Amino acid sequence: MAYYAAILHMADAEKNLTFRPHQLAYLEELEQQGKIFAKGPFADGSGGMVIYMADSLEEAGELAEQDPYVKEGVRLLELHEWKMARV
């Protein structure tokens, strides 16, 4: 299991509020499945980030691409494997 950071750049602020309940429901479902490590918006309103837990980049990509924000063009997806530093 690895971590993948889905950076979700704001693409359509007008659609953001419309699809927010759908996105939150989707992420809640994935949290219950143990697929979400962390999530939240950026303080400056430019988008947000979801950190998925998945077995591969391909699996994380499938999860991220099913996010209603991504599917509806509200946010642009940028996905990277994330190596959490332990201090």
Side-chain angles (χ1 to χ4, degrees):
M1 188 76 58
Y3 296 97
Y4 298 89
I7 302 166
L8 302 171
H9 302 278
M10 186 68 70
D12 191 333
E14 289 183 26
K15 285 184 171 179
N16 192 65
L17 290 177
T18 300
F19 290 100
R20 182 171 171 72
H22 304 282
Q23 197 239 11
L24 292 176
Y26 177 70
L27 295 179
E28 176 63 29
E29 180 182 321
L30 291 181
E31 280 183 307
Q32 291 176 7
Q33 296 174 26
K35 297 287 186 182
I36 302 286
F37 175 74
K39 66 183 185 332
F42 296 136
D44 65 1
S46 65
M49 183 169 63
V50 178
I51 299 179
Y52 292 98
M53 296 181 292
D55 291 325
S56 66
L57 180 62
E58 290 76 22
E59 179 188 0
E62 289 172 9
L63 294 171
E65 289 169 5
Q66 291 303 309
D67 183 320
Y69 273 169
V70 175
K71 286 175 68 172
E72 298 296 334
V74 178
R75 307 275 179 97
L76 301 176
L77 173 64
E78 179 183 344
L79 186 65
H80 302 275
E81 185 170 359
W82 181 58
K83 301 288 187 186
M84 181 172 32
R86 305 277 184 189
V87 288

